[in-house]
Amino acid sequence: MTHDTDPATGLPIGVPVSPAGPAPRPERAVLRGRFVTLVPLDADAHGPALAAAGAVGPGSEALWLYMGRGPFADEAAFRDYLKECEASADPLFFAILDAGSGEAIGHATLMRIDPANRTIEVGNILYTPALQRRPGATEAMRLLADYAFGLGYRRYEWKCNALNAPSRAAATRLGFTPEGLFRQAMIVKGRNRDTAWFSMLDREWPQIRQALGRWLAPENFSADGRQRLRLSALTAAAIPGHALRRATRADLAILGALQGMAYAPNRALLGVEPLPLLTPPEALLDTYEVWLLDAGEGLAGALLLDPRPDHLLVWSIAVDPAQQERGLGSRLLDAVEARAKDLDLTDLRLYTGEKLARVIGWYARHGWRTERVEALPDRRLVHMTKRLA
């Protein structure tokens, strides 16, 4: 993040936060998804189902290995634990219910709630075997993050035992950024715990949210429930081999300006407003992967992609007119192919205005071929494709 300069001392200071007031505390809300529903934890209502799902007794040891409590030898001890959880306001416990059966299959919390600084943590995540490695596990995390950011929290944290490799991998897969290791941070069950820290920021959430949504979409799963696009690829923060970065809310102004400069010259040729200029920058972050290419102090190019289970759609390539004729457009097209390979996709698609002959020719020189021409009420679009080896 950029910084300001203190006028009295000349030293760097943080940028103003607006609004600077506190966020509301999370409530005992109901959060509904397609696979799971999160509800306030009720020990009597949810305890028996959680126990039956494998949270109690022999075989449950791995579930509790890195947790602050557990394992529990019998349902009575487990119920006492859940009663404490139910009464707690921080951590605030949610039961995770299977959306089909309504049965409890896990729990999670919002915790270390700091309304004044607008930071909050997700933790105490218990996934029974019925939830592990299922879409509902990811959806539960998306629902909680969406709830926290919707309340106005700026920072969303994930912390875990540094030895808990599955938890660290899950944090990265969900789009959290690793921040380092706190050595000898805690004593848990009489043993040392080094804590791995991860975070997600409000300005990063739009891109992460839509990546999680792409993965959870019905079309991303085959008839037998297998994923098509990998979550770790969809949430990736970089394109291998290319110096592009994910856009954030902090980039909205420069993204809008770049799109305007790059596409405004096409108005006269098309006779209508170019399609990329019909969508406001705010909607772009929620709808597309937005990758930015920086050059010095400015923004040189932007790449907007729409990954589908069977192809990668190039929705927009924009280069600052002042930076043109330097090969940046070709670099962005190379990044498209690298992104497709990272997503395990081989089919590339795009569309552009039929009147933009120079643009069509440029794509053709890069191996794209015209597939069809689509007639719209106000324009004609040339659809082009390219298949990677």
Side-chain angles (χ1 to χ4, degrees):
M1 178 181 284
T2 58
H3 58 77
D4 286 345
T5 300
D6 177 56
T9 65
L11 296 174
I13 54 176
V15 297
V17 176
S18 180
R25 297 188 69 86
E27 300 178 350
R28 300 182 189 277
V30 175
L31 310 176
R32 299 187 184 279
R34 188 163 67 93
F35 298 101
V36 296
T37 300
L38 275 63
V39 302
L41 180 67
D42 182 314
D44 293 330
H46 305 132
L50 287 172
V56 177
S60 68
E61 293 83 5
L63 292 181
W64 302 98
L65 183 62
Y66 298 112
M67 302 281 278
R69 302 281 294 276
F72 302 95
D74 53 52
E75 289 195 40
F78 182 54
R79 182 179 178 279
D80 290 342
Y81 158 78
L82 291 180
K83 278 292 185 183
E84 293 179 31
C85 297
E86 178 185 338
S88 172
D90 186 357
L92 180 63
F93 275 81
F94 292 84
I96 304 171
L97 310 184
D98 179 83
S101 68
E103 294 293 319
I105 51 178
H107 70 48
T109 72
L110 293 174
M111 57 185 287
R112 296 174 62 92
I113 303 165
D114 185 352
N117 291 301
R118 306 219 302 268
T119 68
I120 198 166
E121 179 182 343
V122 60
N124 293 296
I125 300 168
L126 174 72
Y127 286 171
T128 67
L131 183 56
Q132 293 171 6
R133 291 180 287 279
R134 302 290 200 281
T138 296
E139 186 177 57
M141 293 299 98
R142 186 178 189 262
L143 288 169
L144 282 173
D146 208 30
Y147 180 48
F149 286 123
L151 290 174
Y153 285 85
R154 304 172 64 234
R155 174 180 168 87
Y156 191 64
E157 297 178 337
W158 177 296
K159 303 186 188 82
C160 65
N161 190 312
L163 298 175
N164 189 347
S167 183
R168 296 178 70 158
T172 302
R173 194 166 56 248
L174 289 166
F176 285 85
T177 297
E179 292 187 327
L181 185 71
F182 278 38
R183 300 177 299 162
Q184 296 188 184
M186 301 175 70
I187 300 172
V188 179
K189 299 175 183 176
R191 294 181 179 273
N192 174 66
R193 173 176 137 162
D194 296 343
T195 297
W197 282 55
F198 300 81
S199 74
M200 187 184 294
L201 305 182
D202 55 349
R203 64 177 184 264
E204 299 165 344
W205 177 237
Q207 285 282 279
I208 297 171
R209 185 181 190 275
Q210 61 96 352
L212 296 175
R214 288 182 189 279
W215 189 82
L216 289 164
E219 58 269 23
N220 192 46
F221 294 92
S222 62
D224 60 358
R226 300 185 64 178
Q227 67 176 359
R228 292 191 168 103
L229 295 174
R230 292 174 291 111
L231 182 59
S232 58
L234 288 170
T235 57
I239 298 177
H242 294 269
L244 279 79
R245 62 178 177 85
R246 287 269 196 173
T248 73
R249 281 200 186 104
D251 297 307
L252 287 177
I254 59 173
L255 175 62
L258 176 67
Q259 293 282 102
M261 290 187 297
Y263 285 99
N266 291 348
R267 286 195 187 100
L269 294 171
L270 295 170
V272 293
E273 187 75 349
L275 289 176
L277 300 186
L278 294 175
T279 304
E282 295 87 346
L284 296 179
L285 287 186
D286 291 329
T287 308
Y288 303 105
E289 289 190 356
V290 183
W291 299 92
L292 303 181
L293 178 63
D294 294 314
E297 296 298 318
L299 183 62
L303 185 60
L304 276 69
L305 304 177
D306 188 1
R308 310 287 180 85
D310 61 346
H311 70 273
L312 179 61
L313 175 67
V314 183
W315 191 81
S316 167
I317 293 181
V319 175
D320 179 359
Q323 302 278 350
Q324 289 180 356
E325 308 302 329
R326 298 183 182 181
L328 295 184
S330 296
R331 284 176 57 188
L332 291 175
L333 273 185
D334 288 343
V336 169
E337 297 191 15
R339 183 61 177 146
K341 292 175 181 177
D342 200 32
L343 292 163
D344 301 319
L345 296 172
T346 57
D347 290 332
L348 308 179
R349 301 181 190 178
L350 62 82
Y351 50 82
T352 189
E354 187 182 42
K355 295 180 180 180
L356 302 178
R358 183 179 178 184
V359 173
I360 295 169
W362 181 74
Y363 282 122
R365 290 193 297 276
H366 285 82
W368 292 74
R369 65 177 183 84
T370 297
E371 182 182 54
R372 62 188 175 92
V373 178
E374 178 186 11
L376 299 179
D378 64 341
R379 72 192 77 203
R380 288 168 62 86
L381 296 178
V382 175
H383 290 258
M384 306 187 74
T385 64
K386 183 175 183 178
R387 186 172 182 82
L388 303 178

Coordinates of all heavy atoms in Angstrom, one line a residue, residues 15-66:
V15 N -1.8 5.9 5.1 CA -2.9 6.7 4.4 C -4.1 6.7 5.3 O -4.3 5.9 6.1 CB -3.2 6.0 3.1 CG1 -2.0 6.0 2.1 CG2 -3.7 4.6 3.3
P16 N -5.0 7.8 5.1 CA -6.2 7.9 5.9 C -7.1 6.7 5.6 O -7.2 6.2 4.5 CB -6.8 9.2 5.4 CG -5.7 9.9 4.8 CD -4.8 8.9 4.2
V17 N -7.8 6.3 6.7 CA -8.8 5.2 6.6 C -10.2 5.9 6.6 O -10.5 6.6 7.6 CB -8.7 4.2 7.7 CG1 -9.8 3.2 7.6 CG2 -7.3 3.5 7.6
S18 N -11.0 5.6 5.6 CA -12.3 6.2 5.6 C -13.3 5.1 5.2 O -13.2 4.4 4.2 CB -12.4 7.3 4.6 OG -13.7 7.9 4.6
P19 N -14.4 4.9 6.1 CA -14.6 5.5 7.4 C -13.6 4.9 8.4 O -13.2 3.8 8.3 CB -16.0 5.2 7.7 CG -16.3 3.9 7.0 CD -15.5 3.9 5.7
A20 N -13.3 5.7 9.4 CA -12.3 5.3 10.4 C -13.0 4.8 11.6 O -12.3 4.3 12.6 CB -11.5 6.5 10.8
G21 N -14.3 4.8 11.7 CA -15.0 4.3 12.9 C -15.0 2.8 13.0 O -14.6 2.1 12.0
P22 N -15.5 2.2 14.1 CA -15.5 0.8 14.3 C -16.6 0.1 13.4 O -17.5 0.7 12.9 CB -15.9 0.6 15.7 CG -16.7 1.9 16.0 CD -16.1 3.0 15.2
A23 N -16.3 -1.2 13.2 CA -17.3 -2.1 12.5 C -18.2 -2.7 13.5 O -17.9 -2.8 14.7 CB -16.5 -3.2 11.7
P24 N -19.4 -3.0 13.1 CA -20.3 -3.7 14.1 C -19.8 -5.1 14.4 O -19.1 -5.7 13.6 CB -21.6 -3.8 13.3 CG -21.3 -3.7 11.9 CD -20.0 -2.8 11.8
R25 N -20.1 -5.6 15.5 CA -19.8 -6.9 15.9 C -20.6 -7.9 15.1 O -21.8 -7.7 14.9 CB -20.0 -7.2 17.4 CG -19.1 -6.3 18.3 CD -19.2 -6.7 19.7 NE -18.5 -8.1 19.9 CZ -17.2 -8.2 20.1 NH1 -16.4 -7.2 20.2 NH2 -16.7 -9.5 20.3
P26 N -20.0 -9.1 14.7 CA -20.9 -10.1 14.0 C -21.9 -10.6 15.0 O -21.7 -10.7 16.2 CB -19.8 -11.2 13.7 CG -18.7 -11.0 14.6 CD -18.7 -9.5 14.9
E27 N -23.1 -11.0 14.4 CA -24.2 -11.4 15.2 C -24.4 -12.9 15.0 O -23.7 -13.6 14.2 CB -25.5 -10.7 14.8 CG -25.4 -9.2 15.0 CD -26.7 -8.5 14.6 OE1 -27.5 -9.1 13.9 OE2 -26.8 -7.3 14.9
R28 N -25.3 -13.5 15.8 CA -25.6 -14.9 15.6 C -26.6 -15.1 14.4 O -27.8 -15.3 14.5 CB -26.2 -15.5 16.9 CG -25.3 -15.3 18.1 CD -25.9 -15.9 19.3 NE -25.1 -15.6 20.5 CZ -24.0 -16.3 20.9 NH1 -23.6 -17.3 20.2 NH2 -23.3 -15.9 21.9
A29 N -26.0 -14.9 13.2 CA -26.7 -14.8 12.0 C -26.8 -16.2 11.3 O -26.1 -17.2 11.7 CB -26.0 -13.9 11.0
V30 N -27.7 -16.3 10.3 CA -27.8 -17.5 9.5 C -27.3 -17.1 8.1 O -27.7 -16.1 7.5 CB -29.3 -17.9 9.4 CG1 -29.4 -19.1 8.4 CG2 -29.9 -18.3 10.7
L31 N -26.3 -17.9 7.7 CA -25.6 -17.7 6.4 C -25.9 -18.9 5.5 O -25.5 -20.0 5.7 CB -24.1 -17.5 6.6 CG -23.7 -16.5 7.7 CD1 -22.2 -16.5 7.9 CD2 -24.2 -15.1 7.4
R32 N -26.6 -18.6 4.4 CA -27.1 -19.7 3.5 C -26.3 -19.8 2.2 O -26.0 -18.8 1.6 CB -28.6 -19.5 3.2 CG -29.5 -19.5 4.4 CD -31.0 -19.4 4.0 NE -31.8 -19.3 5.1 CZ -32.2 -20.3 5.9 NH1 -31.7 -21.5 5.6 NH2 -33.0 -20.1 7.0
G33 N -25.9 -21.0 1.9 CA -25.2 -21.3 0.7 C -25.9 -22.4 -0.1 O -27.0 -22.9 0.3
R34 N -25.3 -22.9 -1.2 CA -25.9 -24.0 -2.0 C -25.6 -25.3 -1.3 O -26.4 -26.2 -1.4 CB -25.4 -23.9 -3.4 CG -26.1 -24.9 -4.4 CD -25.8 -24.5 -5.8 NE -24.4 -24.6 -6.1 CZ -23.9 -25.7 -6.7 NH1 -24.7 -26.8 -6.9 NH2 -22.6 -25.8 -7.0
F35 N -24.4 -25.5 -0.8 CA -24.0 -26.8 -0.2 C -24.2 -26.8 1.3 O -24.5 -27.9 1.9 CB -22.6 -27.0 -0.5 CG -22.2 -27.1 -2.0 CD1 -21.7 -26.1 -2.6 CD2 -22.5 -28.3 -2.7 CE1 -21.4 -26.2 -4.0 CE2 -22.2 -28.4 -4.0 CZ -21.7 -27.3 -4.7
V36 N -24.0 -25.7 2.0 CA -24.1 -25.7 3.5 C -24.8 -24.4 3.9 O -24.9 -23.4 3.2 CB -22.7 -25.7 4.1 CG1 -22.0 -27.0 3.8 CG2 -21.9 -24.5 3.7
T37 N -25.3 -24.5 5.1 CA -25.9 -23.3 5.8 C -25.2 -23.2 7.2 O -25.0 -24.2 7.9 CB -27.4 -23.5 6.0 OG1 -28.1 -23.7 4.8 CG2 -28.0 -22.3 6.8
L38 N -24.8 -22.0 7.5 CA -24.2 -21.7 8.8 C -25.2 -21.1 9.7 O -25.9 -20.1 9.4 CB -23.0 -20.8 8.7 CG -21.7 -21.5 8.3 CD1 -21.7 -22.2 7.0 CD2 -20.5 -20.5 8.4
V39 N -25.3 -21.6 10.9 CA -26.3 -21.2 11.9 C -25.6 -21.1 13.3 O -24.6 -21.7 13.5 CB -27.5 -22.1 12.0 CG1 -28.2 -22.3 10.7 CG2 -27.1 -23.5 12.6
P40 N -26.2 -20.3 14.2 CA -25.6 -20.2 15.5 C -25.5 -21.6 16.2 O -26.5 -22.4 16.1 CB -26.5 -19.3 16.3 CG -27.2 -18.4 15.3 CD -27.3 -19.3 14.1
L41 N -24.4 -21.9 16.7 CA -24.2 -23.3 17.3 C -25.2 -23.5 18.5 O -25.3 -22.6 19.4 CB -22.8 -23.4 17.8 CG -22.4 -24.8 18.4 CD1 -22.5 -25.9 17.4 CD2 -21.1 -24.7 19.1
D42 N -25.8 -24.6 18.5 CA -26.8 -25.0 19.6 C -26.3 -26.4 20.0 O -26.4 -27.4 19.2 CB -28.2 -25.0 19.0 CG -29.2 -25.4 20.1 OD1 -29.0 -26.4 20.8 OD2 -30.3 -24.7 20.1
A43 N -25.8 -26.5 21.2 CA -25.2 -27.8 21.7 C -26.2 -28.9 21.6 O -25.9 -30.0 21.2 CB -24.7 -27.6 23.1
D44 N -27.5 -28.7 22.1 CA -28.5 -29.7 22.1 C -28.9 -30.1 20.7 O -29.1 -31.3 20.4 CB -29.7 -29.3 22.9 CG -29.3 -29.1 24.4 OD1 -28.4 -29.8 24.9 OD2 -30.0 -28.3 25.0
A45 N -29.1 -29.1 19.8 CA -29.6 -29.4 18.5 C -28.5 -30.0 17.6 O -28.8 -30.9 16.7 CB -30.1 -28.1 17.8
H46 N -27.2 -29.6 17.7 CA -26.2 -30.0 16.8 C -25.2 -31.0 17.3 O -24.5 -31.7 16.6 CB -25.4 -28.7 16.3 CG -26.3 -27.7 15.8 ND1 -26.2 -26.3 16.1 CD2 -27.3 -27.7 14.9 CE1 -27.1 -25.6 15.5 NE2 -27.8 -26.5 14.7
G47 N -25.2 -31.2 18.7 CA -24.2 -32.1 19.2 C -24.3 -33.5 18.8 O -23.4 -34.2 18.4
P48 N -25.6 -34.1 18.8 CA -25.7 -35.5 18.4 C -25.3 -35.8 17.0 O -24.6 -36.8 16.7 CB -27.2 -35.8 18.6 CG -27.6 -34.8 19.7 CD -26.8 -33.6 19.4
A49 N -25.6 -34.9 16.1 CA -25.2 -35.1 14.7 C -23.7 -35.0 14.5 O -23.1 -35.7 13.8 CB -25.9 -34.0 13.8
L50 N -23.1 -34.0 15.2 CA -21.6 -33.9 15.1 C -20.9 -35.1 15.7 O -20.0 -35.6 15.1 CB -21.2 -32.6 15.8 CG -21.5 -31.3 15.2 CD1 -21.1 -30.1 16.1 CD2 -20.7 -31.1 13.9
A51 N -21.5 -35.6 16.8 CA -20.9 -36.8 17.4 C -21.0 -38.0 16.4 O -20.1 -38.8 16.2 CB -21.6 -37.1 18.7
A52 N -22.2 -38.1 15.8 CA -22.5 -39.2 14.9 C -21.6 -39.1 13.6 O -21.3 -40.1 13.0 CB -23.9 -39.3 14.5
A53 N -21.2 -37.9 13.3 CA -20.4 -37.7 12.1 C -19.0 -37.9 12.3 O -18.2 -37.8 11.3 CB -20.7 -36.2 11.6
G54 N -18.6 -38.3 13.5 CA -17.2 -38.7 13.8 C -16.4 -37.7 14.6 O -15.2 -37.9 14.7
A55 N -17.1 -36.8 15.3 CA -16.4 -35.8 16.2 C -16.0 -36.4 17.5 O -15.3 -35.7 18.3 CB -17.2 -34.5 16.3
V56 N -16.6 -37.5 17.9 CA -16.4 -38.1 19.2 C -15.9 -39.6 19.1 O -16.3 -40.3 18.2 CB -17.7 -38.0 20.0 CG1 -17.6 -38.7 21.4 CG2 -18.2 -36.6 20.2
G57 N -15.1 -39.9 20.1 CA -14.7 -41.3 20.2 C -13.5 -41.7 19.4 O -12.9 -40.9 18.7
P58 N -13.2 -43.0 19.4 CA -12.0 -43.6 18.7 C -12.1 -43.2 17.2 O -13.2 -43.3 16.6 CB -12.1 -45.1 18.9 CG -12.9 -45.2 20.1 CD -13.9 -44.1 20.2
G59 N -11.0 -42.8 16.6 CA -11.0 -42.3 15.2 C -11.1 -40.9 15.0 O -10.9 -40.3 13.9
S60 N -11.5 -40.1 16.1 CA -11.6 -38.7 16.0 C -10.4 -37.9 16.4 O -10.4 -36.7 16.3 CB -12.8 -38.2 16.9 OG -12.5 -38.4 18.3
E61 N -9.3 -38.6 16.7 CA -8.1 -37.9 17.3 C -7.5 -36.9 16.3 O -7.1 -35.8 16.7 CB -7.1 -39.0 17.7 CG -7.5 -39.9 18.8 CD -8.3 -41.1 18.4 OE1 -8.6 -41.2 17.2 OE2 -8.8 -41.8 19.3
A62 N -7.5 -37.3 15.0 CA -6.9 -36.4 14.1 C -7.7 -35.1 13.9 O -7.1 -34.0 13.6 CB -6.8 -37.1 12.7
L63 N -9.0 -35.1 14.1 CA -9.8 -33.9 14.0 C -9.4 -32.9 15.0 O -9.5 -31.7 14.8 CB -11.3 -34.2 14.2 CG -12.0 -35.1 13.2 CD1 -13.5 -35.2 13.5 CD2 -11.9 -34.4 11.8
W64 N -8.9 -33.3 16.2 CA -8.7 -32.4 17.3 C -7.2 -32.2 17.6 O -6.8 -31.5 18.5 CB -9.3 -33.0 18.6 CG -10.8 -33.2 18.5 CD1 -11.4 -34.3 18.2 CD2 -11.8 -32.2 18.6 NE1 -12.8 -34.1 18.1 CE2 -13.0 -32.8 18.4 CE3 -11.8 -30.8 18.9 CZ2 -14.2 -32.1 18.4 CZ3 -13.0 -30.1 19.0 CH2 -14.2 -30.8 18.7
L65 N -6.3 -32.8 16.8 CA -4.9 -32.8 17.1 C -4.3 -31.4 17.3 O -3.6 -31.1 18.2 CB -4.1 -33.6 16.0 CG -2.6 -33.7 16.2 CD1 -2.3 -34.5 17.5 CD2 -2.0 -34.4 15.0
Y66 N -4.7 -30.5 16.4 CA -4.2 -29.1 16.4 C -5.2 -28.1 17.0 O -4.9 -26.9 16.9 CB -3.8 -28.7 15.0 CG -2.7 -29.6 14.4 CD1 -3.0 -30.4 13.3 CD2 -1.4 -29.5 14.9 CE1 -2.0 -31.2 12.8 CE2 -0.4 -30.3 14.4 CZ -0.7 -31.1 13.3 OH 0.3 -31.9 12.8

